[in-house]
Amino acid sequence: MGPTGPAGATGPTGATGPVGPAGPVTATNESCMVCHASDRLVQTAISHALPFPTGTQMDVVLTNVAVADDGAGHMAISFHAANSAGLIANVGTGDLRLYIAEVSTPTTASPSNYLRRWTYERTGTFTVGGVATPYPFGALDTTNAATGDYVYTTAATIPASTNVQRIFFRVSKTGMNTGNATYDYLPAAVATPVANPRDIVPTATCNRCHEERIADHGHGGGYNKTEACVVCHSPLLDETGLTDTPHDMAALGFDLPTMVHQIHGAISTKNDWSKVTYPAQLNDCKVCHVGGTLSDNYKNNPTALACTSCHTFVQFTDSPGYSAANVACGDPAWVYPNPCNHISNLASTAPCAACHSADAIDGYHDATLNRVHPAAGQTMTNAPEFNVALSISPPASGTFYVAGETPTVTATLKYRNADGTDGADVPSSFYTSAKHAAGTTSTTALSGARLYVYGPRTAPKPVLTPGAAVTPTATQATVLFLPSTDPNNLTDATGFKYKLQPIPVGMTGTYFVRFYAQNYGYVSDTNYVTDSNAFFPVQIGTATAQAKIAGDCSRCHGDHTAPFHDARHSVKFDSDECISCHDQSGNHADPLSNRVHAVHSASVQGDMLAISWAEVEYPVGAKSGGVKKCSVCHSSGNAQYTRNVGEIACVGCHADNPGALDHVWQNGGKVYTPAVP
């Protein structure tokens, strides 16, 4: 056979073949700790310890504050300045500002003892009629600066007054967080401090949500005590004509009662607070009014100024724009939020407590009922229909369940009285009848009755029910209605009952049982009656409860239901309840570890269900870097977030950073469609 000849010309391209089978999907739920553990490239514990955008800053701390008469009628204020590194030896005149205010005597027109600022001392100038005028400033003695000790003698003299005075001063140093100090005294005895006469909402209460940097949201971080805020943000401060910048706090809506209530209520009358997201129910006064000796002032000494900051629609005879044509508040013809006249044609100076007792005010603001102002014709109430008694048969050990046990869960219902107490038992037919359609109230049947069993606390999924074994998506809730083909449904005329499946070997930790029932139920977000809910933890395999990954959400959100869920779920701000749906089963709800990070970082793309949370304002400063301080929420003592973190949680905060999602995808993390910026 002769040699092979030259290759011929390439023929035309053939037809496209059929599509082959799908290749394997790489979604490993990557642990970010591969690179971010304590001994790896970028340590999570370190990179998330920065509470402020410029890095770890030291706080100026002012201590050993004392006041004396300098012998010439001025106040000599001594103090010690330090930070976490030690004493501060270089406080200069330009670093100090001082304010003095008098606690006013309540009058008919002003029934609360607000502060009236009467001096402001600092270096520099202000303008009146375009002319620069020096601020008053006394003398700063730096003789003992080497030990961090200073004495400032005021330009102002001790007033001839019998009212309590408040000295507030601040020291600012470049690269440090400004330090604040206050001192209350009587002019007749300046060396003797007195108790705070307006201890209504103490700084510590604000810090539960805002941490120690309240003023990072304004004033450049210079004021971080409520005792300082009330010195200037008082309805009695009116410097109109004294400077070229108006400072009539009441007219501007910047007096503290108005400003704080409207900020937290996203209420915009004189200022635009519409983008603020308050983490608790606005009618839950005790979230903020707690911790002070006068925290009950909201009900013991109500004022028109404070009340109308939220109830902006109420008109008094001396209200701007008052119209006698307005219907009376509470009149059936009144439609929220149109203006309505206070009954009896009262003026705003009338004593509120004469008609509004403390008990009545607490009744108006009962957050357990979460009262709302429904629109005309809207069927809606946020008070649950029933009180639920939920129980489980006890474990043989008396403290925790072990493999092989099959506990039975029982739920019974009572009607709920208007004050939240137990009413009569519901009819037995509620347990034995088939469900009816939501949107009507039946006297014989319910429209919803479901049981959730889930855990463990740190990696929750449905357990111990038939649906929990379904793959790839487990069923979160078990329907308890009769008739039922489920042999474990033991419901009878005495209550809803369900026998759980045998506990498997190796199941250990803190698990939960949750039940809800409804009659009228949910038709739409504006047509519903809130369901009735109960839950409790159970220990399996160990008597030692697992600590929550995060801490106590109620410190900011209040110990009541989550208002945005009231239409569908009457759950509280408690992660143990939330994870009944926001678990890691792959069901419809976004895993809680992703959702809460996306919400609290105001993320546009971090939510795995493509929800943008751009308008959320985290109270320790999402936009200013405060969200980096993980310990604000992770306060339970469980440090898992520093050593065992996956991309589901991380993208909640980091997805908006350029390249972050690519980084996750390229390393095998879960893929999802982000929201559109």
Side-chain angles (χ1 to χ4, degrees):
M1 179 180 292
T4 301
T10 301
T13 301
T16 301
V19 177
V25 176
T26 303
T28 62
N29 292 331
E30 170 207 47
S31 171
C32 299
M33 308 315 287
V34 171
C35 293
H36 300 294
S38 60
D39 58 346
R40 304 299 171 85
L41 297 177
V42 180
Q43 301 178 31
T44 301
I46 293 177
S47 61
H48 291 78
L50 308 178
F52 308 113
T54 56
T56 300
Q57 299 188 98
M58 291 181 289
D59 294 332
V60 175
V61 179
L62 305 175
T63 58
N64 299 340
V65 177
V67 179
D69 186 334
D70 74 338
H74 302 273
M75 287 151 282
I77 305 163
S78 58
F79 61 92
H80 179 77
N83 58 33
S84 58
L87 61 87
I88 300 174
N90 60 343
V91 174
T93 56
D95 301 326
L96 187 143
R97 298 184 189 183
L98 177 134
Y99 309 73
I100 306 179
E102 178 171 291
V103 179
S104 65
T105 302
T107 64
T108 300
S110 180
S112 190
N113 56 341
Y114 301 112
L115 281 90
R116 186 188 302 276
R117 195 186 82 193
W118 56 269
T119 190
Y120 174 24
E121 302 186 9
R122 56 169 292 184
T123 57
T125 62
F126 61 98
T127 57
V128 180
V131 177
T133 304
Y135 285 101
F137 193 79
L140 179 64
D141 183 348
T142 61
T143 302
N144 296 313
T147 61
D149 297 303
Y150 301 86
V151 179
Y152 175 74
T153 301
T154 63
T157 56
I158 300 171
S161 172
T162 58
N163 290 339
V164 173
Q165 310 288 309
R166 170 166 299 169
I167 293 173
F168 159 64
F169 66 99
R170 46 169 276 187
V171 171
S172 302
K173 294 298 298 181
T174 301
M176 302 181 195
N177 295 309
T178 300
N180 289 188
T182 58
Y183 181 95
D184 296 338
Y185 67 98
L186 287 166
V190 296
T192 304
V194 300
N196 181 353
R198 281 191 57 83
D199 187 23
I200 298 174
V201 179
T203 301
T205 298
C206 297
N207 286 353
R208 291 190 313 176
C209 293
H210 293 281
E211 282 290 297
E212 66 276 12
R213 306 305 309 165
I214 301 173
D216 282 347
H217 295 273
H219 293 297
Y223 306 88
N224 48 57
K225 292 181 181 293
T226 56
E227 297 86 348
C229 299
V230 296
V231 169
C232 292
H233 289 279
S234 165
L236 304 182
L237 181 66
D238 182 1
E239 295 184 333
T240 303
L242 299 180
T243 70
D244 288 349
T245 302
H247 288 115
D248 184 342
M249 291 296 178
L252 293 170
F254 287 151
D255 61 275
L256 205 64
T258 299
M259 184 175 71
V260 169
H261 288 136
Q262 294 200 347
I263 286 175
H264 290 92
I267 299 169
S268 300
T269 53
K270 298 173 182 177
N271 302 285
D272 184 7
W273 308 113
S274 60
K275 292 186 178 181
V276 176
T277 305
Y278 184 44
Q281 297 179 37
L282 186 60
N283 63 333
D284 194 356
C285 304
K286 294 180 182 178
V287 172
C288 294
H289 286 272
V290 67
T293 57
L294 298 175
S295 288
D296 283 346
N297 258 23
Y298 76 93
K299 62 180 180 180
N300 292 336
N301 187 27
T303 66
L305 177 70
C307 295
T308 57
S309 61
C310 291
H311 301 279
T312 57
F313 44 83
V314 179
Q315 299 279 291
F316 295 89
T317 54
D318 55 346
S319 299
Y322 175 84
S323 171
N326 291 338
V327 298
C329 302
D331 188 291
W334 174 68
V335 177
Y336 172 83
N338 293 328
C340 62
N341 289 338
H342 196 285
I343 62 171
S344 303
N345 293 320
L346 293 173
S348 61
T349 55
C352 302
C355 297
H356 300 283
S357 68
D359 288 343
I361 291 172
D362 267 345
Y364 307 149
H365 298 86
D366 185 350
T368 62
L369 300 179
N370 192 15
R371 292 189 176 96
V372 295
H373 296 284
Q378 178 175 313
T379 302
M380 183 174 174
T381 175
N382 287 11
E385 299 163 292
F386 312 108
N387 286 343
V388 180
L390 186 61
S391 63
I392 189 169
S393 55
S397 71
T399 54
F400 62 93
Y401 299 92
V402 297
E405 290 190 270
T406 56
T408 296
V409 178
T410 300
T412 57
L413 306 175
K414 290 181 181 292
Y415 287 109
R416 179 186 174 95
N417 295 326
D419 62 358
T421 58
D422 287 347
D425 292 338
V426 300
S428 60
S429 61
F430 274 17
Y431 306 122
T432 58
S433 298
K435 64 177 294 186
H436 72 81
T440 60
T441 300
S442 170
T443 59
T444 60
L446 299 175
S447 66
R450 294 189 174 193
L451 177 70
Y452 297 77
V453 186
Y454 52 99
R457 181 177 252 158
T458 54
K461 290 184 179 180
V463 297
L464 304 181
T465 59
V470 175
T471 55
T473 302
T475 301
Q476 292 170 321
T478 299
V479 177
L480 298 182
F481 285 112
L482 297 178
S484 173
T485 60
D486 186 345
N488 285 12
N489 188 344
L490 307 181
T491 295
D492 58 28
T494 64
F496 292 109
K497 301 174 184 178
Y498 195 87
K499 182 180 180 180
L500 301 182
Q501 293 185 324
I503 295 172
V505 174
M507 179 177 280
T508 301
T510 302
Y511 291 76
F512 300 93
V513 174
R514 176 176 166 251
F515 168 85
Y516 91 87
Q518 59 185 24
N519 194 330
Y520 187 98
Y522 172 86
V523 178
S524 70
D525 284 351
T526 57
N527 184 359
Y528 67 88
V529 176
T530 297
D531 65 24
S532 303
N533 177 71
F535 95 111
F536 55 73
V538 293
Q539 290 300 123
I540 297 178
T542 176
T544 303
Q546 294 172 302
K548 289 185 177 183
I549 295 177
D552 180 13
C553 301
S554 68
R555 74 175 193 173
C556 291
H557 291 285
D559 188 24
H560 303 295
T561 62
F564 50 81
H565 257 317
D566 280 333
R568 298 170 186 257
H569 311 295
S570 59
V571 295
K572 294 184 177 181
F573 276 104
D574 186 330
S575 59
D576 287 341
E577 291 192 54
C578 298
I579 57 176
S580 64
C581 292
H582 293 276
D583 63 6
Q584 297 179 17
S585 67
N587 210 302
H588 69 280
D590 190 358
L592 194 65
S593 60
N594 174 258
R595 174 59 54 82
V596 295
H597 287 103
V599 169
H600 289 88
S601 63
S603 179
V604 174
Q605 300 188 87
D607 191 286
M608 294 178 66
L609 291 187
I611 300 173
S612 172
W613 302 103
E615 292 197 358
V616 174
E617 174 53 38
Y618 186 46
V620 294
K623 303 298 193 300
S624 62
V627 76
K628 292 178 181 177
K629 195 169 185 180
C630 305
S631 59
V632 174
C633 292
H634 289 278
S635 58
S636 67
N638 186 337
Q640 178 175 326
Y641 75 98
T642 66
R643 61 175 182 265
N644 184 21
V645 182
E647 82 286 354
I648 292 176
C650 295
V651 297
C653 289
H654 293 289
D656 292 348
N657 296 327
L661 287 176
D662 289 336
H663 173 73
V664 171
W665 292 332
Q666 290 164 3
N667 285 277
K670 182 173 288 188
V671 177
Y672 64 96
T673 303
V676 177

